[in-house]
Amino acid sequence: MTPTPLPEEVAHIIQLAIAPVFTLAGIGALLNVMANRLARVVDRWRALEAALPETEPLTRSLYHSELSVLDKRMERIHRAISLSTLAALLICVVIILLFTGQLVPIPVAQAVSVLFVASMVFLSVALVSFLMEVRIASRTLRVTRAVLEAGKPGKPG
């Protein structure tokens, strides 16, 4: 029979779990932003796809180009969401292990450390993927501005 943990021991474990919980909250906020961006890309994809059959060849070519860019953006966002979710799951396992290690006499320090580092690696790769998606969107936006500027009266083009 294992001894019942003292209230101060449980309080200490809760203190240790605070940092991973805040990390989890941050990842949740990031996931919300990423999911919203993905939803906007999907909405644009659907609008272009629906309009495609009725468009003229030149416009159809432009739509295909934009669909190609949207496909790249969706791929990057999906990767970022998947890796962020995996990072969040690992943080949950870290929190579980912190409490389990208090209740059951097993060494968890090394597992907690490895899982937390793995979580940060996954989160870092997710953020790089998200940054790549933002860069693709920004480049596309700049091209659109250039096209708009070229079409203004008094501008060559």
Side-chain angles (χ1 to χ4, degrees), residues 58-141:
L58 179 61
T59 306
R60 186 175 298 125
S61 175
L62 292 172
Y63 282 6
H64 278 289
S65 295
E66 187 174 347
L67 285 168
S68 176
V69 170
L70 291 174
D71 187 56
K72 288 178 189 173
R73 289 182 62 194
M74 282 191 289
E75 179 186 325
R76 300 299 192 294
I77 297 171
H78 184 265
R79 182 182 305 130
I81 289 172
S82 298
L83 290 168
S84 296
T85 302
L86 183 55
L89 285 170
L90 291 178
I91 293 292
C92 290
V93 173
V94 164
I95 294 168
I96 290 167
L97 282 176
L98 285 171
F99 283 97
T100 303
Q102 182 63 38
L103 297 173
V104 180
I106 55 172
V108 295
Q110 189 172 10
V112 165
S113 298
V114 168
L115 288 172
F116 193 80
V117 168
S119 175
M120 292 301 104
V121 168
F122 287 127
L123 184 59
S124 297
V125 175
L127 289 171
V128 168
S129 186
F130 184 64
L131 178 63
M132 291 169 61
E133 186 276 330
V134 170
R135 288 189 63 179
I136 292 169
S138 297
R139 262 192 314 231
T140 306
L141 196 65

Side-chain angles (χ1 to χ4, degrees), residues 7-62:
E8 54 272 0
E9 291 173 343
V10 173
H12 178 68
I13 296 301
I14 290 172
Q15 288 172 342
L16 290 175
I18 293 289
V21 167
F22 278 121
T23 304
L24 196 57
I27 293 172
L30 279 170
L31 282 169
N32 187 33
V33 169
M34 292 176 195
N36 284 333
R37 285 186 72 89
L38 179 60
R40 291 184 61 140
V41 171
V42 167
D43 288 345
R44 179 64 181 156
W45 175 280
R46 287 182 180 151
L48 287 176
E49 195 175 46
L52 205 54
E54 301 150 8
T55 60
E56 299 193 14
L58 179 61
T59 306
R60 186 175 298 125
S61 175
L62 292 172

